[in-house]
Amino acid sequence: MQTLRQVLVQNYTRTTAGNGHIRVKRREREEDGGDGLPPGPIRLASPYDTDTRWSAKRDMFWNGFKLHVSEKCHAQEEGDRPESPNIITNVTTTASTLPDTKALEPVHQAVDRRQLLPRRHYLDSGYPSAELIVDSAKTYGVALVTPVLLDTSRQAKAKNGFAAHDFTIDWAGEKAVCPAGKTSAAWNPNVQNGVPKTVISFAALDCIPCPFKEQCTSARSNRRQISLQPHELTEAIRHARAQQQTDEWNQDYALRAGVEGTIRQVTHTAGLRRARYRGLTKTHLDHTTSATALNLIRLHAWWNGHPLDHASHSHLARPQIALAA
């Protein structure tokens, strides 16, 4: 009864009209003129399973959980038999509203308990942050190989002008030098939304006559400001952004593409797009047993020399492929 009451309260409001009649209406978002909805992480999505939450990713909407899959991977020449099969080493089940960046630490803790930590962890772009890049190396000795979000400043997005990475930062001297050779006038450590930052400001007397001003800033104050994370985090994210622009990094990161086949195997062979049980704990058990079954399939295929990566073709394409052969 308490669960049903919570579902009703978070979805409907009750008001008393001037004539004494009670009116019940559905809650709407505040930006739509409504009374507001509870935050997604605490809003019950179903009275039948109080652990599930509504979530969205691009054009996909679902009520349930998130599954994070880790597997062993290694470089392999086409046609060569691998030295060992790619085994799923961990599955982590989380609330669907938990950001991927918050799921990485539980993944590392789980594989560390089983002594399966990789030296290099290949991830998609939803997982990394400057803090995780630094902390993973310090705490677990794991290097994250992953695309990081690029600079979102106006200058960086337009690729026309001076972005923050174009400035030379002297952390010890607490100053910065702009691409035009001018030195900053102020160095102000502060906290923005609970996050430590350093705001570096240049003098208006230097910026106003600068021939590159239009490429650098359009601020009404007529001076450039840049906001940086702490030293170690700034250097880590700068290094990661520089690395991912190189051909060597992209060739190395191509190794991660193999996990897409694993995700397809998990969803199509094991049917894990749909939860078979209610509750986070039972759903995680289902994910674990399904991963174990997939590992047995992979071991059997590897022992018998049967590759698993058969390409699927449409009925229309198969006769054409047969004729070409």
Side-chain angles (χ1 to χ4, degrees):
M1 290 299 295
Q2 182 61 28
T3 299
L4 180 58
R5 178 185 180 278
Q6 184 176 345
V7 172
L8 291 173
V9 168
Q10 72 182 18
N11 286 283
Y12 297 92
T13 59
R14 185 179 63 179
T15 58
T16 304
N19 57 5
H21 291 172
I22 295 177
R23 298 177 57 189
V24 177
K25 65 176 183 178
R26 188 176 181 85
R27 287 183 180 272
E28 301 293 343
R29 297 180 302 175
E30 290 183 0
E31 51 266 36
D32 295 334
D35 299 293
L37 294 170
I42 65 172
R43 186 165 68 244
L44 296 187
S46 169
Y48 304 104
D49 189 342
T50 57
D51 289 341
T52 64
R53 297 292 184 269
W54 280 106
S55 191
K57 184 175 183 179
R58 292 187 288 273
D59 58 348
M60 180 186 296
F61 295 87
W62 78 96
N63 175 28
F65 308 97
K66 273 185 183 179
L67 170 62
H68 305 267
V69 182
S70 306
E71 71 169 350
K72 171 190 172 184
C73 62
H74 52 267
Q76 176 189 347
E77 296 295 331
E78 187 175 355
D80 290 347
R81 174 182 167 85
E83 296 181 358
S84 60
N86 288 348
I87 296 298
I88 297 174
T89 56
N90 185 72
V91 289
T92 298
T93 310
T94 69
S96 62
T97 51
L98 186 75
D100 290 345
T101 53
K102 300 293 185 182
L104 186 57
E105 177 65 18
V107 169
H108 281 163
Q109 290 176 355
V111 293
D112 187 30
R113 286 194 299 268
R114 295 194 293 275
Q115 299 181 352
L116 293 173
L117 273 173
R119 287 175 297 176
R120 297 168 65 79
H121 195 172
Y122 294 78
L123 304 161
D124 73 19
S125 58
Y127 289 89
S129 67
E131 292 86 349
L132 286 172
I133 292 173
V134 173
D135 292 345
S136 296
K138 281 185 175 181
T139 307
Y140 301 103
V142 174
L144 301 186
V145 183
T146 171
V148 297
L149 295 179
L150 299 177
D151 189 345
T152 57
S153 66
R154 174 182 62 84
Q155 296 89 341
K157 288 192 292 187
K159 297 183 179 180
N160 180 26
F162 302 137
H165 60 258
D166 294 317
F167 289 71
T168 302
I169 310 299
D170 180 0
W171 294 94
E174 295 189 347
K175 61 183 178 181
V177 179
C178 76
K182 300 297 182 181
T183 302
S184 58
W187 180 283
N188 297 313
N190 58 29
V191 177
Q192 299 176 7
N193 298 322
V195 179
K197 297 277 188 176
T198 297
V199 178
I200 304 171
S201 303
F202 288 80
L205 293 177
D206 287 332
C207 292
I208 291 174
C210 180
F212 305 107
K213 179 177 180 295
E214 295 300 321
Q215 296 173 259
C216 190
T217 182
S218 58
R220 292 183 179 180
S221 60
N222 286 316
R223 62 176 184 169
R224 179 63 186 269
Q225 287 187 330
I226 56 176
S227 180
L228 302 176
Q229 293 177 297
H231 181 192
E232 196 172 21
L233 303 185
T234 297
E235 294 305 317
I237 205 73
R238 283 188 169 195
H239 177 73
R241 285 171 177 166
Q243 284 290 103
Q244 69 189 48
Q245 302 301 318
T246 64
D247 292 338
E248 294 81 3
W249 185 92
N250 282 279
Q251 291 172 4
D252 181 31
Y253 185 68
L255 183 61
R256 187 205 160 268
V259 81
E260 299 299 337
T262 297
I263 293 173
R264 186 184 187 281
Q265 190 181 28
V266 163
T267 55
H268 287 71
T269 303
L272 295 187
R273 286 285 188 199
R274 182 178 295 276
R276 299 180 178 90
Y277 305 98
R278 295 175 184 171
L280 181 63
T281 302
K282 289 183 178 180
T283 300
H284 176 63
L285 178 61
D286 181 32
H287 292 166
T288 302
T289 54
S290 296
T292 302
L294 294 178
N295 279 341
L296 292 175
I297 293 173
R298 291 181 173 201
L299 285 168
H300 179 271
W302 182 76
W303 283 327
N304 292 279
H306 300 313
L308 290 172
D309 56 346
H310 293 296
S312 60
H313 303 283
S314 67
H315 293 290
L316 184 62
R318 287 172 190 166
Q320 183 178 0
I321 294 172
L323 289 173

